[in-house]
Amino acid sequence: MTNIRSDRRCLVKKQGMLKELIFLLGLIGLSYGAIQRPDYDDTPNPAFLNPSWMASISDDQLLSEVTMPGTHNAMALYGGVYAECQTWSLALQLQAGVRFLDVRVRHVNGNLTIHHGVSYQRAHFGQVLKGVADFLREYPSETVLMRVKEEFSETNNIYGAVVDFIHRYAHWDMLWHSRLVPTMKEARGKLIILQNFSGPDLGMRYGSLDIADDWKVPTLGHLEEKWRSVYEHLEAAPGGNMAQIFLTYSSGAGVFAHPRAVAQPINAQLYDYLRAKTDLNQRLGIICMDFPAAPIIQMIIDFQLRDRDRPLIQFEKYSFFTEKEDQQ
């Protein structure tokens, strides 16, 4: 009996030591701060900018056919390793080529402050709207998609405040007011709200997208599962419904794995995956990242549909037909 108790205490002690080790690894990550790699960048400034890359996309191309980079918790620049997901300002993200923004707002008495969990991000929703409006005025060939979600409050009633902020800090006509996926011509100069809250339509519904967001990464030992989710969704995107926007989050975090610790290895795998592809004429959808670098952003932008017949072929299994098939 004594030996059993001793063995049990030893096992508990070893489990405790293992948890502490995992915790320290999660805190430290692979390294911390001021890294600028081709796939990962947590320095204050991108290596280069590409503010008007959408100008080269055909006007008649559906936005769902466009491959674009995005940022998870785009405004989460403060609060320590567990809260921070980006280091570039909103303006620099947009100028670097990011076209999807994941924005979280806390709703208190009609006010919408920006939060990541409990961490206030020293900004309010109006500043985000103004930043996007200023960018689109300067670069009217572009469009910005913005997921808006309530965070660190549970009023489930942010619609009125969002509308008020749009009128105060942007322009009502700047929004894309439809659930339908626009063409690039229709989307240029527009902010497309991906509405992740209840209320009348402001734009497209976030839930209408085909989304892979397996964000829970409990420890660094779960990175393989996270990458598998990213990989499988990216592999499905070129053959998926071309009338539906695909959205893949490469970001993740957990108690024993903060965003930087996840982003460094996952971004590296994503970079290698994209670099290995020789066919750039395909749709990968939105790839949403923590701490992206300018080279991987450019690599994502380089994947664009240029063969206008290709989407029609992919539509076949969704009861769409090519002109030739329709005549048969």
Side-chain angles (χ1 to χ4, degrees):
M1 182 66 71
T2 302
N3 288 337
I4 293 175
R5 289 176 180 172
S6 178
D7 290 344
R8 186 174 297 166
R9 283 196 298 268
C10 185
L11 178 61
V12 170
K13 184 177 180 181
K14 286 180 179 179
Q15 288 175 337
M17 291 174 64
L18 179 60
K19 288 181 180 179
E20 289 178 7
L21 176 60
I22 294 172
F23 179 71
L24 288 173
L25 286 173
L27 283 177
I28 296 168
L30 301 181
S31 55
Y32 179 80
I35 299 170
Q36 193 171 69
R37 302 186 327 216
D39 58 278
Y40 173 94
D41 190 344
D42 61 8
T43 68
N45 299 290
F48 57 85
L49 304 177
N50 190 357
S52 56
W53 62 268
M54 285 183 154
S56 63
I57 298 175
S58 173
D59 274 350
D60 65 347
Q61 189 152 338
L62 283 174
L63 193 63
S64 56
E65 298 172 3
V66 178
T67 298
M68 68 183 80
T71 44
H72 159 256
N73 255 300
M75 297 296 291
L77 279 68
Y78 306 100
V81 292
Y82 278 96
E84 296 163 9
C85 298
Q86 312 296 334
T87 52
W88 302 342
S89 68
L90 174 63
L92 285 175
Q93 289 180 41
L94 294 171
Q95 290 170 26
V98 169
R99 293 294 174 269
F100 169 85
L101 304 171
D102 174 28
V103 176
R104 316 294 181 89
V105 297
R106 183 186 185 194
H107 183 216
V108 180
N109 297 325
N111 293 316
L112 296 173
T113 53
I114 305 299
H115 267 253
H116 182 191
V118 300
S119 297
Y120 169 56
Q121 296 302 316
R122 308 180 192 177
H124 60 75
F125 188 51
Q127 292 167 309
V128 178
L129 290 169
K130 184 178 184 303
V132 172
D134 289 346
F135 173 78
L136 291 174
R137 274 193 293 267
E138 186 172 359
Y139 300 101
S141 63
E142 309 303 292
T143 186
V144 175
L145 293 81
M146 184 191 298
R147 175 200 187 186
V148 180
K149 178 180 183 290
E150 187 172 8
E151 181 109 347
F152 197 55
S153 59
E154 297 180 356
T155 67
N156 297 314
N157 185 29
I158 68 172
Y159 178 84
V162 170
V163 169
D164 178 53
F165 271 68
I166 290 169
H167 282 297
R168 288 164 58 191
Y169 295 97
H171 303 282
W172 190 248
D173 292 340
M174 185 184 73
L175 267 60
W176 170 248
H177 294 287
S178 174
R179 288 193 180 196
L180 300 177
V181 177
T183 62
M184 273 305 307
K185 182 177 181 179
E186 293 169 324
R188 296 194 197 281
K190 297 288 187 182
L191 167 61
I192 300 173
I193 298 289
L194 299 174
Q195 191 169 333
N196 201 181
F197 53 90
S198 60
D201 289 352
L202 280 178
M204 297 179 64
R205 295 285 171 166
Y206 180 71
S208 71
L209 279 60
D210 189 314
I211 303 168
D213 184 16
D214 295 316
W215 64 270
K216 293 182 180 179
V217 184
T219 72
L220 298 182
H222 293 80
L223 289 173
E224 184 177 348
E225 297 170 23
K226 172 61 186 177
W227 171 247
R228 188 182 307 119
S229 168
V230 174
Y231 172 83
E232 290 176 353
H233 203 245
L234 290 176
E235 286 290 284
N241 184 354
M242 288 293 171
Q244 185 178 29
I245 295 174
F246 267 60
L247 169 58
T248 306
Y249 285 88
S250 67
S251 53
V255 175
F256 301 117
H258 59 73
R260 274 185 173 87
V262 174
Q264 289 187 45
I266 295 296
N267 285 16
Q269 286 180 284
L270 177 61
Y271 183 84
D272 290 342
Y273 167 81
L274 296 172
R275 185 172 57 175
K277 286 188 172 293
T278 56
D279 180 11
L280 303 184
N281 184 19
Q282 55 185 303
R283 184 279 300 265
L284 297 180
I286 301 168
I287 303 177
C288 188
M289 302 162 282
D290 283 342
F291 306 104
I296 197 171
I297 288 174
Q298 184 60 49
M299 189 176 287
I300 292 167
I301 290 169
D302 287 341
F303 283 87
Q304 298 300 334
L305 279 171
R306 296 172 181 86
D307 182 355
R308 296 300 300 152
D309 291 331
R310 184 167 186 143
L312 296 177
I313 295 171
Q314 300 297 337
F315 277 155
E316 290 178 23
K317 59 184 178 181
Y318 295 96
S319 299
F320 288 85
F321 300 93
T322 63
E323 181 178 353
K324 182 178 179 181
E325 290 170 327
D326 195 42
Q327 293 172 348
Q328 292 178 343

